[in-house]
Amino acid sequence: MSAPNRFGLRGARLLREKWWEPASASTPDGLGSRSIYAIGRNYEKHAKELGNAVPKEPFWFLKPIASVVGPGEKHIVFPGRSESHHEVEIGIVIGKMGKNIAVDKAAQHIGGLFLGLDMTDRDGQAVVKKEGKPWTQCKGWDTSLPVSNLARVDDLVFEGSDSAADLQIMKLLSNLEFWLKVNGVEKQRGNTNDMVSNIAEQLAAISRIHRLDPGDIVLTGTPEGVGACKPGDVITAGIEGCDGVFDIEVEVASDGELQQLTKRPKMTTVGSV
């Protein structure tokens, strides 16, 4: 396999902070994200490490917007649990509404790139899987989705390129290497080249069922190496080849440390990516 893609941000443009929130005076870049689609078992070795069959086509579950926390915010373990399991994922944000998106047109609907942690209550997931129940509570509690800042696709450039028009987004997304560490020890490392279903195929599958709107979030799957982290642990994660612009650091805290979470504003507007 070729070396992972190297890329950066055009000029001095900054990553967008609090990008999932509705646009306001305090979050001028807010997109008002409404839906989070999380692709399951999209790396063969990860599926097998948990004893699951490798899916023949994309499948997904939903996480609430209230699960998102940004850089510098804590991840709180599931209420009553002593640990969470980490799952690092490449995330994309939809930039253009789409329904029944063709695979070869998927790039036109991608508006931004970020790194996310799909934190999981693994004990709870084992129970609901056995009982045939949905995964919502074990995947979607408050603070279960720490994310990096967001870079707009138009601001991403390959080395030597000076405009967004020169960027072939699907080529970039097909060879991204990313990693996760707990307390400085590497636990996960993956490359999007190893996906069972690539990102274009994911968008095509999701959009056959759901209309994808600007600001919608897609988590594209996690590689092998998922495992437990406990209160007091520090998770770091990043994407290679971009000088650390997507690096995140997340402190894990117990539910006993949880104070009143900031009240989320109503999701009334959707900005453009």
Side-chain angles (χ1 to χ4, degrees), residues 135-156:
W135 296 2
T136 306
Q137 66 188 49
C138 59
K139 283 284 194 177
W141 76 98
D142 291 350
T143 79
S144 64
L145 180 51
V147 300
S148 72
N149 290 329
L150 173 76
R152 298 189 341 156
V153 166
D154 287 349
D155 294 335
L156 295 174

Side-chain angles (χ1 to χ4, degrees), residues 19-22 31-39 60-68 91-95 97-98 109 114 140 145 147 203 206-207 209-220 267-271 273:
W19 48 266
W20 63 92
E21 299 277 16
L31 303 176
S33 300
R34 293 178 174 176
S35 299
I36 303 172
Y37 303 95
I39 302 294
W60 56 92
F61 54 93
L62 303 178
K63 292 174 77 89
I65 290 298
S67 65
V68 181
I92 63 167
V93 172
I94 299 301
M97 188 273 285
H109 297 270
F114 71 97
L145 180 51
V147 300
L203 297 189
I206 294 170
S207 69
I209 310 300
H210 312 282
R211 186 188 71 199
L212 289 171
D213 289 318
D216 283 352
I217 295 168
V218 179
L219 300 174
T220 63
M267 299 299 166
T268 55
T269 60
V270 176
V273 180

Side-chain angles (χ1 to χ4, degrees), residues 14-257:
L14 298 176
L15 294 158
R16 293 182 168 202
E17 298 182 1
K18 296 288 187 181
W19 48 266
W20 63 92
E21 299 277 16
S24 68
S26 61
T27 56
D29 288 330
L31 303 176
S33 300
R34 293 178 174 176
S35 299
I36 303 172
Y37 303 95
I39 302 294
R41 304 172 191 169
N42 199 36
Y43 289 79
E44 182 176 355
K45 290 182 180 179
H46 167 60
K48 291 182 176 179
E49 74 179 342
L50 295 182
N52 296 313
V54 179
K56 295 181 180 180
E57 57 186 21
F59 84 95
W60 56 92
F61 54 93
L62 303 178
K63 292 174 77 89
I65 290 298
S67 65
V68 181
V69 288
E73 298 184 81
K74 291 183 178 182
H75 161 68
I76 310 297
V77 299
F78 188 87
R81 302 291 191 199
S82 61
E83 64 181 33
S84 296
H85 276 227
H86 55 77
E87 299 189 8
V88 63
E89 313 202 9
I90 297 293
I92 63 167
V93 172
I94 299 301
K96 174 185 174 183
M97 188 273 285
K99 178 70 175 174
N100 295 315
I101 298 170
V103 170
D104 63 354
K105 302 295 184 183
Q108 300 174 12
H109 297 270
I110 298 175
L113 173 69
F114 71 97
L115 189 69
L117 307 181
D118 175 23
M119 303 302 291
T120 302
D121 170 24
R122 193 71 72 200
D123 289 343
Q125 186 186 33
V127 171
V128 296
K129 283 170 59 178
K130 184 176 181 179
E131 296 176 349
K133 295 178 179 178
W135 296 2
T136 306
Q137 66 188 49
C138 59
K139 283 284 194 177
W141 76 98
D142 291 350
T143 79
S144 64
L145 180 51
V147 300
S148 72
N149 290 329
L150 173 76
R152 298 189 341 156
V153 166
D154 287 349
D155 294 335
L156 295 174
V157 290
F158 283 119
E159 290 184 339
S161 173
D162 62 2
S163 75
D166 296 334
L167 178 65
Q168 299 177 45
I169 184 62
M170 300 317 299
K171 181 178 179 181
L172 171 65
L173 295 176
S174 70
N175 188 16
L176 289 179
E177 188 168 319
F178 56 108
W179 53 269
L180 176 144
K181 299 178 182 179
V182 178
N183 300 328
V185 178
E186 185 167 292
K187 300 294 186 179
Q188 289 185 268
R189 181 171 288 271
N191 190 297
T192 53
N193 188 58
D194 295 323
M195 287 180 169
V196 176
S197 298
N198 64 37
I199 291 173
E201 292 166 339
Q202 293 174 35
L203 297 189
I206 294 170
S207 69
R208 285 196 294 271
I209 310 300
H210 312 282
R211 186 188 71 199
L212 289 171
D213 289 318
D216 283 352
I217 295 168
V218 179
L219 300 174
T220 63
T222 193
E224 73 273 15
V226 301
C229 50
K230 301 178 181 297
D233 287 346
V234 176
I235 302 171
T236 51
I239 302 175
E240 296 285 8
C242 60
D243 297 323
V245 297
F246 294 101
D247 286 5
I248 53 175
E249 180 176 296
V250 181
E251 181 181 344
V252 181
S254 69
D255 65 323
E257 298 177 52

